[in-house]
Amino acid sequence: MSILDKMVEDGDGRFWGFLGCRYIKGSKQEVQIALTAGEHHTNSMGIIHGGVLTSLMDQAMGMVATAAMEVDSCVTTNLNVHFLAPMRQGELIVTSTVLHQAGRSITTQSEVRDASGTLGCMATATFRVAKARASGR
């Protein structure tokens, strides 16, 4: 089982499941996840809450960072978010890729688009290895 599959399998009872995330595909270079955003994901203006969008991007970037570094886990050390267009209820697709990797740190980028392809927000983040893989795996 790949580290990405394990993260998804373990995620149902965690924040991943609480948000309603779905895994689409992943590799060491790119991870895609999705969310069918509902009313409970909106703020008082009726648009998707910025915290939901940020959480989605942080999740997907953490997944690609973990896969790329071939570790059991890593933690976010820096996260920059740019909100570009309001996102509404419906299908949201999050795509995250690796920008740079050096030693125990990795920098990633992410974007959230709606079903029509509108870019709602983008982010960059840096992660640091929290737990290296045990030898023999």
Side-chain angles (χ1 to χ4, degrees), residues 19-114:
L19 271 179
C21 298
R22 289 188 325 278
Y23 178 67
I24 297 175
K25 65 180 181 175
S27 69
K28 291 181 181 182
Q29 294 81 34
E30 179 181 282
V31 165
Q32 263 192 348
I33 65 173
L35 172 74
T36 303
E39 185 175 6
H40 61 284
H41 294 110
T42 62
N43 61 21
S44 61
M45 295 182 294
I47 59 176
I48 304 304
H49 193 286
V52 170
L53 299 169
T54 301
S55 293
L56 288 169
M57 291 186 293
D58 185 41
Q59 177 68 50
M61 288 186 288
M63 291 173 78
V64 77
T66 299
M69 297 187 79
E70 297 180 332
V71 296
D72 283 336
S73 61
C74 57
V75 294
T76 311
T77 59
N78 186 337
L79 176 65
N80 299 295
V81 178
H82 299 272
F83 298 102
L84 306 170
M87 295 283 96
R88 308 217 180 269
Q89 293 180 52
E91 197 66 13
L92 301 176
I93 305 295
V94 185
T95 304
S96 296
T97 57
V98 174
L99 288 174
H100 181 262
Q101 185 174 344
R104 295 175 55 88
S105 296
I106 188 167
T107 302
T108 60
Q109 66 182 359
S110 189
E111 62 179 33
V112 178
R113 292 183 182 270
D114 64 16

